[in-house]
Amino acid sequence: MDLRVNAARAEAGASLIEVALAVTLIAIALVPTSRLWLASAQADQAAAEKTEALVIAQRLLEQRVRAIPFASVSSVTGTDSATGLTYAMALADVPGMPAGVKRVEISVSRPADSAPLIRMVTLAAKEQW
């Protein structure tokens, strides 16, 4: 009976070498995976910021272009209160086009960054009565 008790004790747990080997294998697998998770999180954050910039640009195009008299060539700058992103919108005449057609350029960027997150260029027209 003594042999059975000793045999059961010998196989009851894991040795220190087995635990160290398991931890090493897990670490080898998790280090590259953690870099992938970090890169994915950064890409998600950049995509979310560009989406916010696009929403701001579309809102400017839909709301502000209607409010600006088309007879004038003008520009609007400001900061979005919800996101803190800055925007610049400029209306310009298009050579060779009627007066009711304007070129609209909208740039949205971070406050400290000169490169825009998004730049939208389109034509806008108002009916002439």
Side-chain angles (χ1 to χ4, degrees):
M1 179 142 178
D2 203 39
L3 290 175
R4 290 184 194 159
V5 172
N6 286 339
R9 278 190 197 153
E11 295 182 20
S15 70
L16 187 59
I17 294 174
E18 291 171 333
V19 171
L21 182 61
V23 168
T24 303
L25 289 175
I26 290 172
I28 289 171
L30 287 181
V31 168
T33 306
S34 65
R35 290 181 184 160
L36 182 66
W37 288 336
L38 180 62
S40 176
Q42 290 171 342
D44 285 347
Q45 183 179 5
E49 195 172 40
K50 286 191 178 202
T51 301
E52 289 175 350
L54 181 61
V55 168
I56 292 168
Q58 287 176 335
R59 186 175 52 225
L60 284 170
L61 186 61
E62 292 172 2
Q63 294 174 354
R64 295 280 181 109
V65 170
R66 290 185 184 139
I68 296 173
F70 255 45
S72 67
V73 176
S74 61
S75 63
V76 175
T77 59
T79 302
D80 184 63
S81 60
T83 61
L85 297 174
T86 59
Y87 58 84
M89 180 179 74
L91 268 69
D93 290 326
V94 180
M97 297 293 280
V101 177
K102 300 285 182 184
R103 179 182 185 269
V104 182
E105 181 175 340
I106 301 171
S107 296
V108 181
S109 60
R110 292 182 202 96
D113 198 1
S114 61
L117 289 169
I118 195 162
R119 183 173 166 255
M120 181 186 293
V121 180
T122 188
L123 295 177
K126 282 200 177 181
E127 292 183 30
Q128 300 295 319
W129 299 100

